[in-house]
Amino acid sequence: MLATAAFIAFWVIVGLVLFLLALRGGPRGMRATLQSQSRAGNRTALIGFSVFYIAVGVAVPVLLGIGNSDSADAHINGQTVQLTQQEREGRELFGANCANCHTLAAARASGQVGPSLDVLRPPAELTYDAIVRGRQRGGGTMPARLLEGSQAEAVAAFVAATAGR
Ligand code: HEC
């Protein structure tokens, strides 16, 4: 949603700047063109600009947003779990950093090296600790510092919200 808002803002600003440039007679060529046009012509150009910028800057991202809206949820064994922004980021990171070794239905992961997180259902603190410090307690090796800080927190939140569901 933030990206969409930024995109819209960007286009609105681009549209406004072009407008003002055109009206204040920014680049010389533009001034010459505009001055040679009638008032009605100017108004038509103005309306044309507006329609174009609303179409590109607002309609397109809104449509894209609608198309993507279900990626905000996790579909697990027929049920739907709403994910926060942080948990969605965690899902991406899980796919890239954990899925090779762990099973987790919510991430469509079926790795067999480490324990199944759907069975283990680790609380966020345990997952965070495992990611940062690694594990080697006889069940194989999980490397330390696979992720750090907010990324490790995001994965831990995602696992806690979805494991075993
Ligand atoms: C190279 C394979 C590998 C990767 C990649 C990996 N793990 Fe592990 N993980 C393991 C193994 C093996 C264990 C069990 C280690 C042991 O028995 O001491 C484990 C254990 C765990 C545990 C249980 C810790 C405990 O104390 O019971 C959690 C939670 C976990 N991993 C989460 C993750 C997350 C989240 C990621 C991604 C950031 C990840 N793992 C990436 C192999 C991996």
Side-chain angles (χ1 to χ4, degrees):
M1 267 334 269
L2 235 143
T4 310
F7 189 79
I8 291 175
F10 171 76
W11 277 100
V12 168
I13 289 168
V14 167
L16 276 176
V17 166
L18 277 186
F19 254 147
L20 293 177
L21 267 183
L23 291 180
R24 308 263 142 176
R28 246 184 223 155
M30 216 172 211
R31 187 183 342 178
T33 319
L34 282 176
Q35 278 170 353
S36 70
Q37 281 176 346
S38 66
R39 270 190 172 216
N42 269 346
R43 199 175 309 139
T44 313
L46 214 94
I47 293 170
F49 265 140
S50 321
V51 170
F52 176 75
Y53 277 105
I54 290 172
V56 175
V58 180
V60 170
V62 164
L63 286 178
L64 286 178
I66 291 168
N68 281 337
S69 65
D70 79 336
S71 69
D73 305 328
H75 301 284
I76 313 159
N77 300 323
Q79 54 164 326
T80 301
V81 177
Q82 271 280 334
L83 298 183
T84 65
Q85 177 73 35
Q86 185 199 32
E87 289 160 2
R88 270 178 269 160
E89 187 198 335
R91 176 169 58 186
E92 296 285 318
L93 292 165
F94 190 96
N97 296 284
C98 322
N100 284 345
C101 292
H102 289 283
T103 292
L104 182 65
R108 296 196 171 78
S110 51
Q112 301 290 329
V113 180
S116 161
L117 299 183
D118 282 325
V119 173
L120 190 65
R121 302 194 65 172
E125 299 73 39
L126 182 73
T127 303
Y128 181 89
D129 186 74
I131 296 172
V132 172
R133 297 206 289 174
R135 283 290 188 276
Q136 195 162 20
R137 298 180 309 193
T141 298
M142 174 165 160
R145 281 187 297 281
L146 281 170
L147 296 167
E148 293 182 310
S150 65
Q151 292 197 321
E153 282 168 20
V155 172
F158 168 67
V159 172
T162 60
R165 304 283 287 267

